[in-house]
Amino acid sequence: MELTRAHRSGPRTAVVWAALRREIERQGGRPLTVLDVGGGTGGFAVPLAEDGHHVTVVDASPDALAALTRRAAEAGVPDRVRAVQGDGDALAGLVEPGAADLVLCHAVLEVVDDPAGVVAAVTAALRPGGAASVLVAGKAAAVVARAINGHLADAAALLADPVGCAGPRDTLRRRYDADTAAALLRSAGLEVSEIHGVRVLADILPAAVADGDPQAVVDLELAAAAHPPYRDIAAQLHLFARRPLS
């Protein structure tokens, strides 16, 4: 798969960009109205704006939004990127309902107070037929990573915890497997069409291997992403879902 400009960000995000590109192509390449929840400094928003789409980024950090604004200006797309300060938990009151063709909700559901409420707000923000790109932390990968690094007690705590949290010092409130993430989206009325693993191998390959042939790593990530059990041990899970037409 030849990567376009927006895909050229390496193996850590190639799988997500591939899914986004398929959706853009499905829409005939027309400019889309995109909402990026927790989009920070614009790692996805600015490339999408460069491709002609109009992106609203909602993020709690004023510093991140300031960096986003600078980044959009430097890329020549300040008119296609809008910054809105606010928490994911307050999303319903920050954006217009039923207006987005595509909503990105990446690395948000692990940290918010009410993930079900955020997913409900994401669904409400989509037009009928619109799509959601949801990226969540994977529980299995976190258990394995802690065990490999010698943190056996944390690995055991995380494995036993029903929501995938290693304890009060954990930086994330919860982690997901494919079933729990899909169930969360379906409970809000979304239809899950794809589940992929993100960073299946990218985080564990030796640097010399990854740097020696970056395109081979991207190709391997893309090949492994959709296939259990490789998908299920990924650092993150990417779910692509759609709001039904009726």
Side-chain angles (χ1 to χ4, degrees):
M1 176 179 181
E2 183 178 353
L3 303 181
T4 67
R5 173 184 61 199
H7 293 130
R8 294 175 189 156
S9 47
R12 290 173 175 268
T13 55
V15 170
V16 179
W17 277 118
L20 296 179
R21 183 59 54 194
R22 287 193 295 272
E23 178 63 16
I24 291 167
E25 291 171 353
R26 183 180 182 274
Q27 297 293 337
R30 67 180 179 87
L32 301 182
T33 299
V34 181
L35 171 64
D36 189 353
V37 183
T41 61
F44 284 89
V46 172
L48 286 169
E50 289 181 291
D51 279 352
H53 308 290
H54 295 269
V55 189
T56 296
V57 176
V58 176
D59 198 279
S61 168
D63 291 337
L65 293 177
L68 164 71
T69 301
R70 290 193 300 271
R71 189 172 184 175
E74 290 168 359
V77 291
D79 56 327
R80 291 201 289 270
V81 176
R82 183 168 73 100
V84 176
Q85 186 177 354
D87 292 324
D89 286 304
L91 180 63
L94 298 173
V95 298
E96 181 182 355
D101 298 303
L102 175 64
V103 176
L104 279 56
C105 184
H106 295 169
V108 172
L109 300 181
E110 304 93 322
V111 297
V112 293
D113 293 331
D114 180 16
V118 173
V119 175
V122 165
T123 304
L126 285 167
R127 63 168 180 79
S133 168
V134 179
L135 191 64
V136 297
K139 180 177 178 179
V143 172
V144 172
R146 280 164 173 73
I148 289 174
N149 287 307
H151 304 299
L152 300 183
D154 285 347
L158 201 155
L159 181 62
D161 189 80
V163 297
C165 179
R169 294 182 298 172
D170 199 334
T171 57
L172 301 183
R173 297 186 178 188
R174 62 192 69 83
R175 293 174 180 83
Y176 297 85
D177 58 31
D179 290 339
T180 56
L184 178 61
L185 270 58
R186 290 177 181 131
S187 71
L190 292 171
E191 297 176 346
V192 178
S193 57
E194 301 176 31
I195 304 177
H196 292 100
V198 175
R199 292 157 51 201
V200 175
L201 298 168
D203 288 0
I204 59 176
L205 287 175
V209 174
D211 295 341
D213 194 344
Q215 187 58 51
V217 179
V218 169
D219 292 342
L220 188 57
E221 284 284 332
L222 291 170
H227 301 290
Y230 315 108
R231 177 197 73 183
D232 299 323
I233 62 168
Q236 295 173 298
L237 297 171
H238 182 243
L239 295 89
F240 209 78
R242 198 169 302 279
R243 180 178 176 179
L245 289 170
S246 59

